[in-house]
């Protein structure tokens, strides 16, 4: 192979603008598959991407500022200007895209995964999807619970069994290549996910998330609790006027009454997390505690007028809703008992645990008439339990198989948190789904790893180009949707013209 010519390119790095002179070689052997095709120096890949104007160190800095410091694009742009780099704000977005793509390829590298997982004797798969809103694509992630490594991340148009089976088969093939067996799967209870796991991984224990199970099974109970809380709050309105009447007073008695008002408002605005946090029961208990404290004061001295008004508000609410709480308390006692059994703090074997859970279900059925109008909630609990039953107890038989899918939910939360801190969006943006296969991975990895330019150097340029092409295809789909929203008639006219032109004889 002989040198064919010299090539020159300019690369902007953190140290300044560098002009590279490259020796390009060409093979002169006519029998060679690369005959007369240019071969560029391997060292060039450590400086920048093909046709890239900025070095990999600039790309790494942009990603670090975004995902470790949660800076916005304008803030990153200003940081680069302060460092003496001449760069447009739009170019910062482009370099962030390159960071996400290169880091995703680095994390998915077969050699790296083999080195990372070689100490493990098994893989525990967690599968879940993220959809910012109805009608958008769904980002599906398959992650190893033991190492935290994302094995596959893909945006799909649907969430059917037909969509998910190829993802599971891809992970199964990857684990076969790495020679690490899949010992368990953890997902939520969505029927299409269950069918896909049964189809692609038929002999693998499949655990269904206990949190999703209890939330679905206890939904009517939580709804009844929420309704009772709403009714109670209706009768405890009027705390603000009492506080306003105390605004000009600074004596000790006024401060104490104001403290009681703040306690009531704190109780009214404290929302828990179903299925185990009963907001209504918590509010009732706290108002009873506050009312009891006021009663103890009344036994010792005459109450201030403002405190008497506050006591009457609470008593009116508690009296008006007193018939709602016994059934809710009993139902939640069963839900908490179910959660306690599933936690298996006593380390019972699976058969004993199933027997105890069946006894709880029998007790609920026998005593459901005591719940009155809430009795159908027990029937719903039994129905959901029957649906989940086969997947509730696998976690007690496989080491390291978690009982909930909360780790993967928190992994999604990391990406949403980074997006919210940097953009101000409260909800996941559609871009998170369009680029989710690389963005979620980059956000999670950047939080715990220190990424350098060497880590971003692509080992396979063709793979990076294919990944970028796939992402650009999804970006174009989003752009075309926006064009339709802005000018539906022009958009439809262009489609009609395209189809009519394609139907003409060539």
């Amino acid at each position: 192979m002989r040198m064919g010519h010299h090539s020159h390119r300019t690369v902007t790095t953190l140290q300044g603008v560098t002009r590279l002179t490259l020796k390009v070689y060409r093979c002169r052997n006519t029998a060679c598959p690369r005959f007369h095709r240019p071969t560029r120096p391997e060292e060039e890949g450590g400086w920048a991407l093909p046709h890239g104007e900025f070095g990999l160190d600039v790309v790494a800095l942009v990603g670090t500022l975004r995902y470790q410091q949660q800076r916005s694009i304008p803030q990153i742009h200003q940081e680069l200007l302060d460092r003496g780099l001449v760069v447009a704000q739009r170019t910062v977005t482009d370099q962030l895209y390159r960071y996400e793509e290169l880091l995703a390829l680095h994390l998915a590298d077969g050699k790296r995964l083999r080195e990372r997982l070689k100490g493990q004797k098994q893989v525990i798969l967690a599968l879940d999807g993220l959809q910012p809103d109805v009608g958008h694509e769904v980002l599906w992630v398959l992650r190893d619970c033991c190492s935290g490594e994302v094995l596959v991340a893909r945006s799909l148009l649907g969430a059917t069994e037909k969509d998910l089976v190829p993802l599971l088969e891809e992970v199964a093939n990857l684990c076969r290549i790495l020679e690490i067996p899949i010992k368990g799967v953890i997902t939520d209870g969505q029927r299409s996910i269950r069918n896909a796991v049964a189809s692609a991984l038929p002999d693998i224990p499949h655990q269904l998330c206990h949190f999703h199970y209890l939330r679905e099974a206890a939904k009517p109970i939580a709804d009844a609790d929420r309704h009772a809380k709403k009714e109670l709050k209706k009768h405890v309105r009027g705390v603000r006027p009492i506080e306003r009447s105390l605004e000009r007073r600074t004596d000790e008695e006024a401060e104490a009454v104001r403290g009681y008002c703040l306690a009531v408002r704190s109780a009214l605005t404290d929302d828990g997390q179903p299925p185990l946090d009963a907001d209504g029961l918590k509010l009732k208990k706290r108002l009873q505690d506050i009312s009891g404290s006021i009663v103890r004061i009344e036994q010792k001295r005459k109450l201030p007028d403002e405190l008497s008004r506050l006591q009457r508000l609470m008593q009116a609410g508690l009296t008006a809703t007193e018939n709602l709480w016994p059934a809710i308390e009993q139902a939640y006692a069963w839900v908490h008992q179910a959660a306690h059994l599933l936690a298996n703090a006593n380390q019972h074997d699976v058969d004993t645990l199933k027997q105890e859970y069946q006894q709880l279900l029998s007790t609920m059925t026998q005593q459901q008439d005591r719940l009155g109008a809430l009795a159908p909630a027990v029937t719903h609990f039994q129905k959901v339990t029957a649906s989940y039953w086969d997947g509730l107890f696998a976690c007690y038989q496989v080491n390291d198989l978690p009982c909930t899918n909360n780790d993967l939910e928190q992994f999604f939360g990391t990406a949403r948190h980074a997006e919210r801190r940097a953009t101000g969006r409260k909800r996941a943006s559609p871009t998170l789904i369009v680029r989710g296969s690389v963005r979620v991975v980059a956000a999670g990895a950047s939080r715990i790893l220190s990424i350098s330019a060497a880590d971003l150097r692509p080992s396979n340029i063709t793979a990076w180009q294919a990944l970028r092409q796939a992402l650009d295809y999804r970006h174009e789909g989003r752009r075309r949707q926006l064009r339709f929203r802005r000018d539906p008639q022009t958009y439809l006219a262009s489609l009609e013209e395209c189809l009519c032109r394609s139907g003409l004889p060539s």
Side-chain angles (χ1 to χ4, degrees):
M1 188 175 291
R2 298 181 182 179
M3 189 183 75
H5 65 278
H6 286 89
S7 178
H8 304 279
R9 66 180 296 190
T10 302
V11 177
T12 301
T13 67
L14 295 178
Q15 285 70 41
V17 178
T18 303
R19 182 172 174 81
L20 302 179
T21 301
L22 311 172
K23 294 181 178 181
V24 181
Y25 290 82
R26 296 179 186 271
C27 181
R28 305 299 176 90
N29 183 1
T30 56
C32 178
R34 294 190 58 84
F35 171 68
H36 210 60
R37 292 173 61 183
T39 301
R40 302 174 73 87
E42 183 179 354
E43 186 182 355
E44 181 186 11
W47 283 80
L49 290 169
H51 311 291
E53 299 180 7
F54 291 88
L56 294 179
D57 56 347
V58 176
V59 177
L61 176 62
V62 169
T64 299
L65 292 174
R66 176 69 163 196
Y67 291 115
Q68 288 190 0
Q69 301 183 23
Q70 282 85 47
R71 297 201 196 181
S72 65
I73 294 298
Q75 289 173 329
I76 298 174
H77 179 232
Q78 186 60 49
E79 174 68 21
L80 295 180
L81 293 178
D82 294 342
R83 288 173 177 256
L85 275 68
V86 180
V87 56
Q89 185 169 308
R90 173 61 190 172
T91 303
V92 175
T93 302
D94 293 336
Q95 301 313 307
L96 179 61
Y97 288 172
R98 302 295 84 79
Y99 174 85
E100 294 167 350
E101 297 156 4
L102 295 175
L103 181 54
L105 286 176
H106 169 69
L107 295 174
D109 181 70
K111 293 182 180 179
R112 178 189 169 276
L113 283 177
R114 187 183 298 273
E115 183 68 23
R116 181 79 170 82
L117 302 178
K118 68 179 182 180
Q120 297 180 199
K121 297 182 180 180
Q122 63 181 12
V123 166
I124 303 294
L125 290 180
L127 169 64
D128 202 0
L130 174 65
Q131 187 177 29
D133 204 352
V134 176
H136 289 291
E137 296 175 331
V138 184
L139 171 64
W140 291 99
V141 172
L142 277 157
R143 186 170 181 250
D144 174 36
C145 296
C146 300
S147 63
E149 290 289 335
V150 174
L151 302 180
V152 171
R154 193 83 32 83
S155 293
L156 301 177
L157 290 173
T160 65
E161 176 185 352
K162 186 177 179 180
D163 294 321
L164 298 177
V165 166
L167 293 184
L168 291 165
E169 291 176 343
E170 182 179 343
V171 170
N173 291 333
L174 175 62
C175 291
R176 278 194 291 269
I177 293 172
L178 297 176
E179 299 179 347
I180 302 176
I182 300 174
K183 291 295 187 179
V185 183
I186 171 73
T187 70
D188 60 27
Q190 191 173 329
R191 180 58 62 180
S192 61
I193 298 179
R194 298 195 216 179
N195 294 339
V197 173
S199 177
L201 305 171
D203 300 323
I204 305 299
H206 183 193
Q207 172 68 32
L208 299 180
C209 178
H210 286 174
F211 175 82
H212 287 84
Y213 157 66
L214 288 174
R215 185 175 65 181
E216 184 178 348
K219 186 177 184 303
I221 302 172
D223 290 344
D225 176 77
R226 193 178 302 112
H227 171 73
K229 177 183 179 180
K230 182 179 69 175
E231 294 299 315
L232 177 55
K233 290 175 70 173
K234 285 181 181 178
H235 294 83
V236 193
R237 292 173 179 170
V239 179
R240 290 283 190 182
I242 298 176
E243 289 185 284
R244 292 192 189 99
S245 68
L246 299 169
E247 284 181 350
R248 298 183 179 279
R249 293 176 53 185
T250 58
D251 56 284
E252 187 176 2
E253 180 180 281
E255 287 299 321
V257 175
R258 188 180 293 113
Y260 276 105
C261 292
L262 292 174
V264 172
R265 284 205 290 117
S266 175
L268 293 173
T269 57
D270 185 16
D271 295 327
Q273 292 291 332
L276 298 182
D277 286 345
D279 297 349
L281 290 177
K282 185 186 296 184
L283 174 60
K284 166 183 167 284
K285 174 66 167 57
R286 288 176 173 174
L287 292 185
Q288 286 176 336
D289 291 342
I290 297 172
S291 178
S293 175
I294 296 176
V295 168
R296 290 193 293 271
I297 294 174
E298 190 175 18
Q299 293 172 352
K300 299 177 182 178
R301 54 157 290 183
K302 181 181 178 182
L303 293 179
D305 293 341
E306 296 82 2
L307 197 56
S308 296
R309 289 168 56 193
L310 184 64
Q311 176 74 324
R312 287 194 296 271
L313 286 176
M314 292 187 292
Q315 288 296 334
L318 293 171
T319 302
T321 59
E322 61 182 354
N323 294 329
L324 301 176
W325 300 114
I328 297 174
E329 289 174 341
Q330 178 60 69
Y332 258 107
W334 287 333
V335 173
H336 291 151
Q337 187 177 351
H340 175 74
L341 289 175
L342 291 176
N344 199 20
N346 296 326
Q347 299 295 312
H348 290 159
D349 60 84
V350 174
D351 292 335
T352 303
L353 190 60
K354 287 183 177 180
Q355 185 178 1
E356 292 181 349
Y357 208 84
Q358 288 283 15
Q359 290 175 354
L360 171 62
L361 297 175
S362 298
T363 302
M364 293 173 67
T365 302
Q366 294 168 5
Q367 301 180 9
Q368 73 178 108
D369 292 339
R370 295 167 52 185
L371 301 186
L374 195 54
V378 174
T379 304
H380 177 82
F381 195 97
Q382 298 273 10
K383 181 179 178 181
V384 173
T385 301
S387 173
Y388 273 77
W389 185 261
D390 292 336
L392 287 179
F393 304 98
C395 60
Y396 310 115
Q397 299 170 301
V398 179
N399 290 334
D400 299 324
L401 180 58
C403 61
T404 70
N405 208 12
N406 291 346
D407 280 348
L408 186 50
E409 295 279 357
Q410 292 170 2
F411 181 76
F412 283 139
T414 299
R416 287 195 294 262
H417 172 75
E419 191 85 5
R420 184 167 60 251
R421 286 287 303 273
T423 66
R425 284 178 174 266
K426 291 185 177 181
R427 302 179 63 182
S429 66
T431 308
L432 185 61
I433 303 302
V434 174
R435 298 189 57 83
S437 58
V438 294
R439 179 162 294 182
V440 171
V441 175
S446 300
R447 184 172 58 91
I448 58 178
L449 300 176
S450 178
I451 306 301
S452 65
D455 297 324
L456 299 181
R457 179 174 180 172
S459 59
N460 187 338
I461 290 293
T462 304
W464 168 68
Q465 291 171 337
L467 175 61
R468 183 175 176 182
Q469 184 178 7
L471 294 171
D472 287 345
Y473 175 79
R474 295 191 176 279
H475 269 290
E476 178 60 22
R478 287 291 303 168
R479 284 191 288 267
R480 295 178 70 176
Q481 291 180 37
L482 292 176
R483 289 178 193 140
F484 173 75
R485 293 175 186 173
R486 291 170 181 167
D487 193 347
Q489 298 304 321
T490 302
Y491 179 86
L492 295 175
S494 66
L495 293 182
E496 294 169 12
E497 181 183 356
C498 178
L499 284 176
C500 291
R501 186 171 57 249
S502 65
L504 293 176
S506 57

